[in-house]
Amino acid sequence: MINLILFGPPGSGKGTQAANLVQRYNLVHISTGDLFRYEMGNNTPLGQQAKSYISRGELVPDAVTIGMLRNKVEAHPDASGFIFDGFPRTIPQAEALDHLMTEEGTAIHALIALQVADEEIIQRIKLRGATSGRTDDSDENIIRNRINVYNKETTPVFDYYAQQGKSHSVNGLGSVYEIFDRLCAMIDAVNAD
Ligand code: ADP
């Protein structure tokens, strides 16, 4: 079993790469952003709760996010591994994830961060916003707020897993295929340990 965290700022390409990695490594992909968008699309109570935070570029409160994540993990008892995308985004989320993995008799094996500079991701998100219909992708102030939140609340998660010797970085600039090859090389190295 291999459990991975795909890490990186908004717009760094986590979703694109995760979609390819699940096929190569037979993993269950859990994207908290996708889960929230699904709930918002169906206008569920959870979706309504998340919407006010997401539309401002803020994080949804930990208790809500962690509960949703736990349900999703527990829905896949036979998974041969997970790839977490957009989670954990805070230290309490990382602690909750480690706790959950221990309960499941497993662990997080690696966190891999896609490195992309701020100005590049702003351009990418605006481009995505033109077609994604995501309101959080269309306003530069909201995008900048998401990046600020990432730098303040989420980057400590990299250090948290670095203390466990599990954090790695990959250059997130290049073609989708080049980046995929870098990620696979990193995962294969972790797997060989
Ligand atoms: P991106 O990586 O482009 O920001 P996501 O789809 O991962 O996009 O997330 C979109 C929004 O959903 C975030 O800006 C945040 O408001 C909310 N969200 C997603 N994951 C989490 C999380 N783990 N904790 C809190 N909020 C989250």
Side-chain angles (χ1 to χ4, degrees), residues 102-131:
T102 306
E103 273 178 15
E104 300 284 322
T106 183
I108 292 296
H109 298 98
L111 174 153
I112 307 179
L114 288 169
Q115 282 186 317
V116 185
D118 284 2
E119 288 312 312
E120 165 76 16
I121 61 184
I122 291 169
Q123 295 314 316
R124 286 191 192 178
I125 294 174
K126 280 173 136 174
L127 208 63
R128 181 173 74 183
T131 53

Side-chain angles (χ1 to χ4, degrees), residues 126-143:
K126 280 173 136 174
L127 208 63
R128 181 173 74 183
T131 53
S132 70
R134 282 176 57 172
T135 50
D136 61 340
D137 279 353
S138 49
D139 178 317
E140 181 148 345
N141 287 325
I142 297 173
I143 297 170

Side-chain angles (χ1 to χ4, degrees), residues 47-172:
Q48 289 169 5
Q49 207 179 355
K51 194 169 191 165
S52 57
Y53 298 95
I54 292 177
S55 62
R56 282 181 278 137
E58 304 287 339
L59 294 183
V60 179
D62 283 339
V64 176
T65 308
I66 291 167
M68 179 178 75
L69 187 282
R70 171 181 278 276
N71 286 339
K72 199 71 190 171
V73 169
E74 288 175 349
H76 294 277
D78 299 325
S80 61
F82 290 94
I83 184 161
F84 297 99
D85 157 9
F87 187 96
R89 262 178 155 96
T90 63
I91 294 289
Q93 290 183 15
E95 290 169 347
L97 180 60
D98 278 355
H99 186 75
L100 178 60
M101 290 292 103
T102 306
E103 273 178 15
E104 300 284 322
T106 183
I108 292 296
H109 298 98
L111 174 153
I112 307 179
L114 288 169
Q115 282 186 317
V116 185
D118 284 2
E119 288 312 312
E120 165 76 16
I121 61 184
I122 291 169
Q123 295 314 316
R124 286 191 192 178
I125 294 174
K126 280 173 136 174
L127 208 63
R128 181 173 74 183
T131 53
S132 70
R134 282 176 57 172
T135 50
D136 61 340
D137 279 353
S138 49
D139 178 317
E140 181 148 345
N141 287 325
I142 297 173
I143 297 170
R144 287 196 184 273
N145 192 35
R146 286 160 60 197
I147 293 170
N148 287 339
V149 169
Y150 176 81
N151 288 330
K152 204 166 104 218
E153 298 192 50
T154 305
T155 52
V157 172
F158 184 93
D159 303 328
Y160 172 91
Y161 283 103
Q163 279 169 14
Q164 299 181 21
K166 294 176 179 171
S167 289
H168 309 273
S169 292
V170 156
N171 177 0

